[in-house]
Amino acid sequence: MPLVNTTEMFQKAYEGGYAIGAFNVNNMEIIQGVVAAAKDEKAPLILQVSSGARKYASPIYLRKLVEAAVEESGLPIALHLDHGDTFELCKSAIDDGFTSVMIDASHHAFAENIKITSQVVAYAHARGVTVEAELGRLAGIEDDVNVTAENASYTDPAQVEEFVEKTGVDSLAIAIGTSHGAFKFKGDAALRFDILEEVENRLPKFPIVLHGASSVVPEYVDLINKYGGAMPGAKGVPEDMLRRAASMAVCKINIDSDLRLAFTAAVRRHFSENPAHFDPRQYLAPARNLIQECVKHKLVNVLGCNNKA
Ligand code: G3H
Ligand code: 13P
Ligand code: ZN
């Protein structure tokens, strides 16, 4: 099976009351860990690449690694551009073989967001590529941009119908209180399910996306706090909230920070136990294994997309 776009996976996820995991990938070991978990659990998958990841690996390497994952796993996998901020970047990803792109023009005014998103949709749809856009602004760190809590804004449900109608976009990321990065929520976690509900009512059967949805896998909290560099007491999004969102209109849940924490924790633990090792395979294999375990946990316990491939 070749790379797929997100149309069919979102339709099934919406009807089935589960969500697809969209995992950020930066290198071979992360891709292999995520894909091994999806293979174990027979889960459809979105592998997403940020512009930073594309620059780091150079565009062709990640695409070739993802193509290898498709060939080796036989799973339905979409290759998605995460947070494309210009038409040119989205066009370049599409020309490069991505099957799905996000145009994130959420930092622009509403009319400008519509204009840029529509331009991307026209280019993408002519080539069978699906498009995600964003309304509202999440707090946290995205690439080089740090959105402070004061500059973050919840999605206004009154804008969503006009936005979707005018742009023709295939899915919409909304801001309901999740945030990017490893340190979410200073106090108790709270998500605005009332906004999600209103969006769901206004856009029947339309796939919604949650960014900033890392949750720290419970089994690995101690390990990650000890070796992952997380601040003691830092909180991800509680898993029960993500499960609730997945049972509603949320069809795509974005996870990056959890993978970074797991990868780093495994490498740090390896060196603390084996300070003399210097063969990269010795410390990257445990990182790949921990990614696999964490992703399996999410596919089954958070997203509910196991056995849906
Ligand atoms: O939302 C942002 C993702 O976590 C990607 O992060 O741009 O540092 O690769 P990055
Ligand atoms: P996290 O930082 O919560 O993993 O969010 C990742 C994300 O939204 C990527 O687009
Ligand atoms: Zn994001």
Side-chain angles (χ1 to χ4, degrees):
M1 176 189 285
L3 279 169
V4 296
N5 68 23
T6 56
T7 305
E8 192 180 327
M9 53 173 90
F10 284 170
Q11 204 177 327
K12 288 182 177 166
Y14 198 104
E15 280 158 17
Y18 60 89
I20 311 291
F23 298 96
N24 285 73
V25 296
N26 298 280
N27 65 17
M28 182 184 78
E29 284 76 11
I30 297 175
I31 293 174
Q32 288 179 332
V34 173
V35 173
K39 210 172 156 189
D40 288 344
E41 298 302 337
K42 300 180 186 57
L45 202 55
I46 298 172
L47 295 176
Q48 56 187 14
V49 174
S50 68
S51 63
R54 236 170 143 236
K55 267 186 228 138
Y56 170 76
S58 100
I60 191 168
Y61 281 85
L62 292 176
R63 174 165 58 79
K64 291 287 179 192
L65 286 167
V66 171
E67 281 171 10
V70 170
E71 195 175 319
E72 187 263 338
S73 70
L75 293 169
I77 298 179
L79 175 58
H80 175 78
L81 173 71
D82 191 27
H83 293 286
D85 57 351
T86 59
F87 170 79
E88 289 70 27
L89 176 57
C90 293
K91 178 182 181 299
S92 151
I94 294 165
D95 293 346
D96 231 17
F98 281 56
T99 50
S100 174
V101 292
M102 175 189 194
I103 171 68
D104 180 359
S106 60
H107 47 292
H108 290 290
F110 185 64
E112 187 65 10
N113 190 351
I114 290 182
K115 192 172 149 203
I116 300 171
T117 302
S118 306
Q119 206 187 351
V120 173
V121 168
Y123 191 81
H125 282 184
R127 290 156 183 83
V129 171
T130 38
V131 181
E132 171 187 333
E134 179 165 328
L135 262 186
R137 263 200 115 181
L138 268 68
I141 298 169
E142 257 171 51
D143 235 338
D144 305 328
V145 185
N146 188 353
V147 184
T148 60
E150 303 81 67
N151 286 330
S153 55
Y154 292 115
T155 302
D156 176 1
Q159 294 185 325
V160 297
E161 291 141 299
E162 184 185 349
F163 187 84
V164 168
E165 207 171 290
K166 286 194 169 153
T167 59
V169 79
D170 302 287
S171 62
L172 185 66
I174 62 169
I176 60 167
T178 59
S179 66
H180 288 112
F183 312 118
K184 311 184 199 298
F185 305 115
K186 285 204 183 103
D188 286 342
L191 293 193
R192 292 284 306 272
F193 280 96
D194 58 317
I195 296 180
L196 176 56
E197 248 162 44
E198 199 179 335
V199 169
E200 186 174 272
N201 290 337
R202 285 172 179 266
L203 297 174
K205 299 208 167 181
F206 190 81
I208 298 301
V209 178
L210 269 196
H211 282 246
S214 276
S215 51
V216 186
V217 175
E219 284 99 308
Y220 302 111
V221 166
D222 291 344
L223 175 70
I224 283 167
N225 278 339
K226 187 165 174 197
Y227 296 108
M231 250 167 18
K235 282 189 202 134
V237 183
E239 292 192 337
D240 59 331
M241 290 190 185
L242 294 173
R243 275 196 295 272
R244 183 173 164 200
S247 75
M248 298 168 67
V250 171
C251 294
K252 172 174 181 272
I253 289 191
N254 282 15
I255 298 163
D256 184 1
S257 298
D258 279 343
L259 303 187
R260 295 176 176 192
L261 287 170
F263 196 99
T264 305
V267 172
R268 285 210 180 112
R269 177 174 62 181
H270 184 84
F271 280 124
S272 81
E273 291 166 0
N274 306 277
H277 278 180
F278 61 91
D279 179 342
R281 292 170 298 187
Q282 289 171 316
Y283 55 85
L284 293 178
R288 181 171 61 189
N289 290 343
L290 190 57
I291 294 256
Q292 182 177 354
E293 289 314 308
C294 288
V295 171
K296 270 173 76 142
H297 172 90
K298 284 176 185 295
L299 297 172
V300 176
N301 299 296
V302 178
L303 300 151
C305 59
N306 50 315
N307 297 316
K308 308 289 188 195

